[in-house]
Each structure stands twice: as C-alpha cells, then as structure tokens.
Amino acid sequence: MAEIVRNFIDGQWTESLSGETFERRNPADTDEMVGVVTKSAKADVDGAMRAARQAFRAWRLFPAPKRGEILFRAGELLAKRKQELGELETREMGKVLPEGLGDVQEAIDTAYYMAGEGRRLSGETIPSELPDKDCKSLRVPLGVCALITPWNFPIAIPAWKLMPALVSGNTVVFKPSSYTSVAASKLVEILEEAGLPKGVLNLIHGRGEDIGEYLATHPETDGVSFTGSTAVGEKLAAKCLGLGKKVSCEMGGKNAIIIMDDAKLDLAVEGAVWGGFGTAGQRCTATSRVVVHRDVYDRFLRLFSGAASRLRLGNGLLEGTDVGPVINPVQMEKVLNYIEIGRKEGARLLIGGKAYREGACARGYFIEPTIFGEVEPEMRIAQEEIFGPVVAVLKAGDLNEAIKIVNGTRYGLVSAIYTQDVNRSAIAERELDTGIVYINASTIGAEIQLPFGGTKKSGLGQKEAGGRGGALDMFTKWKVVYRDYSGKLQKAQIDR
Ligand code: UN1
C-alpha cells in the first residue's frame, strides 16, 4: 500500500505549500507504488528554518544527557521496528533485505553511541599561567543545521548526521533524497515518538535541484552536512563557505582492493564479490577496482568471474536474492553508458555488460554484475565513480606498483589489501592515501564508532560517525573560557 508522506515542521506533519506531490515506486518492480510524497516549495524551507531557529533557544539549554536519553529511546524503537524498516528500505530503494536490516542496525548502533555522547561531549581543563585563574574548552552547538542525505543508505546515513547534530544541541532541517522519502520519514517519526520537542527536528521533502541549495545557503543555516556526489558537494561547499557556514561533505569514491600473490585467494574473491556487487555497487565504499599481482591475476579473474556470475538478481525481499536493482532509470543509463565506455576503451568484458530483464526483473532497473579485465589505470572506468555493479580489474607487478595505481585517482575514500605478509600490510597501511584502509577485508563494512570519511575529492570538512575526529567535530564548535578569581587585573604574557 502506498503511504502518504508529509513534511514535518514545528512538530506538525503537513502538506507542502506547493500542493504538489511526487511518487516513490519500487525500483525492483515499478508497478509497486511505495509512497506519494509532498513536494516542498522554498516557502516550506523558510517555515522549517523558522521553527528550527525558534526551537534552538531551548534545545541548546536542554541537558545533553537528557538529549542523549531521547536518542537512546529512538534506538530502542528502531530495534523494535527493525524488520519492518528493513523491508521498507528494500521496497523503496532496492537493496536486498539482509542489507536493509544492516542499514537499520547501523542507525541503531549510532543512536546508542550518540546517546552515550550526551554524557561525555567533553572538553578540557588546562592550567593557567597565572594564579587564581582557570581555563577550559567546551563544545557548543552550531545552531541550525541543514542535513542533506543520499538514497543509498536511507536510514543509516541520516542517523549518522541527525544523532550527533541533535545530541550536541543543534536543531535541524533535514532533507533526505527524494528517492528515499518514505524510509527517511519513518526515522523522523521515531525520533518524534522518542520525545524530541517540537521544532528541534524538521523534515522537508523535495529534489535537491529544487530546494537543496536553497536550504544549504539559507541565511538561518549555520552548518551544512551533505552526502552525495563530488560534483554537487564541491559546488555546494564553495557557496556555503563563501557565506561563512560550516560545511562537511562526504562525496565520491573509486575504492580499490589490492590482492597480492600471497593472499588467501578464496577470501579475496569473496571480498571482491561482496565489495563490488553488494548494494548493486551503490555504496560510496563499493569496490570499483581490484588490483591484482600478476602471478595470481589469471586465477583470480577466473574465480572472481565464476563467483560473480552465480549471483542471483531479483527483488531483494525474495529469499536467495544476492543483488537488487539500481535506483532509477537515470542511474541505469549512466552505468550502462560506463560499460559502453569500458568496451570502447579496450578493456575486456568478462561477464555481464547489460541490463537484466528476465521474468519479473523486466519491471525493474536491473544490471548484470559486470567485470572488466585488462583495465589500464588511466582508463575512464578505472578513474571515474560508476556507482553500479561494475568492477575493473587491473594488473600490478609488485606492491609499489599496486599502491601507485590505487592512489592514482582523484578520490580517496577506501582501500583494502589482501596479503598474509605482515610487512606488506604495514607498508600498505602507511602508503595508501585513503581515509579508510582494510587489511584482509573488503572495502565495505565501516563501523560507526570510528570516523568515516575520505581524502582528496572524497571528503571535505569534518568526518562522519564516532570516535576522535568524527561527527561531533562537525556539529560543535569550541568555546574557550578563562575565569579569573584573583580579584585583581592579571595580564597574561606580561605578569611574570
Ligand atoms: C556509504 O556508502 O555512503 O562501510 C556508507 C560501509 C557502510 C557505510 C557506507 N557501513 O559500506
């Protein structure tokens, strides 16, 4: 049954002022309508901003441990509704059910972790050079934050941003991707039920082209956190920084796995299949390249192609489905176009290479898992983010050459190496220029208690998630307080 999906502004679920709507259909079966969503006008953004600004006055003074308790309750509600939400994600976005459930679990983990931050959010006390004076640094919220999220992790990525923003005392205007409006609304419903005061979290639906930039550059916006493509992120960041807003962008990737001649090859093949074709390759962390030592190259290609050709495509709610559809016709076109580019560049197509329209799949946006061999580092399919089930396999003579190939793109989100040699793993760890490095594991599977983000064109500003250098650094600013209780004028640097 199709849901009616509304905006949530100042504690009220409301239709947009435009009166327009758009549809969400299941990308695995476009006959299925998942939701009818209100389409916001700029005036809706203004309303949400006013509510968030107003609510900030009280929310920043609401004790942080109590803010954390609300998140904890949200975590419990998410856990209770995990199955239902996982299934909704599969229907709205296409990822297979175990991955839908994993997505919800990532939000649960984030809720519990950030709930705990409510009792930490710690700064430092540092001795003064003068007597009877104390000094400390403390985290304070930014104010109103605009959060813009993508469709590939409909609940987890919003949670990555919402939970740290809220626990730090910010109020929020949240614009999820228009391809996952239904799932995003559920997360907001849960936070409302968990006890957020009105106006603290506001949700507006609509397309990035129509309201994304308006929201980010709005005079009332203090902080902007965006996840999406590098092209959009960089443009948005330049505008927002020019307006004096704090910005962080999580952007594209061209992640790679290195497989050395001493690797456990079966394990590496499993890692490449999971990283390359999990979520139909639609993760910023997806394995888009595999760089293989020449001595195991042929064997790897054989095993990898064999394993990938056994993957079953279909509706992710059906048991036994390994790979779901891509999100929409535009993305499908883009991925098929890259396959064409790979062919023309002279890479060797080993498996896949076209849309998959068997049986019920004809009603969805399915692409066969596709592998190219004989890929050269400078080819476009080895340089550009594809965001679909396409993997380029390259050959390297030794570890140094492999590292050079991996580092030789404009992106730097994730890299991985399969080797049994501790020295090689240490060199890879040191030399791979990515925000995340895996040893003997695939490129996907980041955990929320560590910072998440990339180097170069993959990330801009602060990182996401937990740990030192994580999202709290985005959603707070440091304030320093000196208190002089000597009762006289003391001059730093001068009184000695
Ligand atoms: C993303 O693709 O944008 O490591 C996030 C992973 C997940 C998060 C991915 N935990 O693949």
Side-chain angles (χ1 to χ4, degrees), residues 57-77:
R57 293 197 192 117
W59 184 243
R60 77 184 176 91
L61 303 176
F62 196 83
K66 294 226 154 32
R67 300 196 291 249
E69 282 171 27
I70 296 174
L71 296 188
F72 190 84
R73 279 199 293 280
E76 290 187 303
L77 290 167

Side-chain angles (χ1 to χ4, degrees), residues 214-227:
Y214 185 74
L215 166 65
T217 57
H218 198 282
E220 290 291 343
T221 302
D222 298 300
V224 180
S225 176
F226 165 88
T227 297

Side-chain angles (χ1 to χ4, degrees), residues 106 150 152-153 157 160 227 250 282-286 387 413 438 443-447 452:
E106 198 154 345
N152 66 335
F153 277 81
I157 292 183
W160 279 10
T227 297
E250 200 51 62
Q282 302 173 108
R283 296 194 187 211
C284 357
T285 54
F387 225 66
L413 188 53
Y438 288 94
T443 58
I444 66 183
E447 302 179 26
F452 179 95

Side-chain angles (χ1 to χ4, degrees), residues 89 93 95 99 102-103 106 149-160 180 279 282-285:
E89 287 202 25
M93 180 271 163
K95 62 172 69 178
E99 292 184 25
D103 190 313
E106 198 154 345
T149 60
W151 45 263
N152 66 335
F153 277 81
I155 294 187
I157 292 183
W160 279 10
T180 46
T279 329
Q282 302 173 108
R283 296 194 187 211
C284 357
T285 54

Side-chain angles (χ1 to χ4, degrees), residues 151 275-283 286-288 326 331 334-336 338-339 367-370 385-391:
W151 45 263
F277 304 114
T279 329
Q282 302 173 108
R283 296 194 187 211
T287 307
S288 189
V326 299
Q331 195 59 24
K334 182 182 155 203
V335 175
L336 292 173
Y338 267 112
I339 294 173
I367 299 177
E368 294 175 352
T370 298
E385 184 176 51
I386 299 175
F387 225 66
V390 180
V391 179

Side-chain angles (χ1 to χ4, degrees), residues 8 13 19-20 34 41 58 184 231 264 307 328 337-338 352 363 397 406 426 449:
F8 184 64
W13 291 93
E20 292 175 40
V34 181
K264 285 196 168 164
N328 59 33
N337 188 41
Y338 267 112
R363 296 198 299 272
V406 173
Q449 65 276 25

Side-chain angles (χ1 to χ4, degrees), residues 221-241:
T221 302
D222 298 300
V224 180
S225 176
F226 165 88
T227 297
S229 72
T230 299
V232 175
E234 286 190 335
K235 219 176 100 213
L236 204 64
K239 291 213 165 115
C240 293
L241 290 169

